[in-house]
Amino acid sequence: MSTDCKEVVRRFNIEVIQKGSETEFHALMAPHFVNHSAPQGMPNGPESMWHTFQNVLRPALSNLAVTIHDQIAEGDKVTTRKTISGVHTGTLLGVPATGRDVSIGAIDIVRIQDGKYVEHWGVNTLSNVLAALSKD
């Protein structure tokens, strides 16, 4: 089962985050999905994840790519260390385009049930990236 769970997470990262496939997003997200890393008071269901990828990252970063460095699976959970990268060609959370290369490091834990994302926990370096982009 661990290998299958890792493949679901790999597929999500490449097809949904990198390529922007809404069809794959709906195929891989359980309707009762909960993002435990959503900011307090903000939506934490499936559509909040789609919003982040499609309305925050994709318009701000051209040549968006996901590089998976490590994946560790145990039971129904997969931990992934990855980098989301691209060129900052659009406004990113209020920071105007700089044309600079951007790399956001992330570590996610995802719980998989019946081949779908049901829970997510994660940390990333987006705040550090925004601070660096804002300095110039």
Side-chain angles (χ1 to χ4, degrees):
M1 180 165 156
S2 295
T3 302
D4 293 341
C5 291
K6 286 169 70 172
E7 177 55 24
V8 168
V9 173
R10 187 207 65 77
R11 189 171 142 206
F12 186 91
N13 276 274
I14 300 305
E15 298 299 324
V16 176
I17 299 174
Q18 180 171 298
K19 295 182 179 176
S21 172
E22 188 170 8
T23 301
E24 287 293 302
F25 175 79
H26 291 295
L28 295 171
M29 292 294 278
H32 58 282
F33 167 84
V34 176
N35 179 10
H36 297 284
S37 299
Q40 191 169 6
M42 297 300 289
N44 65 353
E47 291 308 315
S48 69
M49 292 283 278
W50 181 251
H51 170 77
T52 298
F53 306 135
Q54 205 59 19
N55 300 323
V56 176
L57 293 180
R58 191 159 302 288
L61 303 176
S62 57
N63 303 323
L64 188 69
V66 178
T67 303
I68 295 175
H69 304 290
D70 299 296
Q71 278 189 308
I72 301 167
E74 185 172 329
D76 62 355
K77 292 188 183 82
V78 178
T79 300
T80 303
R81 184 177 67 86
K82 64 188 176 189
T83 302
I84 300 170
S85 58
V87 180
H88 183 216
T89 54
T91 301
L92 179 60
L93 297 172
V95 178
T98 63
R100 293 171 45 192
D101 290 337
V102 169
S103 292
I104 303 165
I107 299 175
D108 294 319
I109 300 171
V110 178
R111 188 168 73 83
I112 306 294
Q113 184 178 46
D114 299 325
K116 295 182 183 273
Y117 274 43
V118 290
E119 290 183 278
H120 168 268
W121 299 262
V123 293
N124 64 60
T125 62
L126 180 57
S127 61
N128 295 345
V129 168
L130 291 170
L133 291 173
S134 297
K135 285 184 177 182
D136 293 335

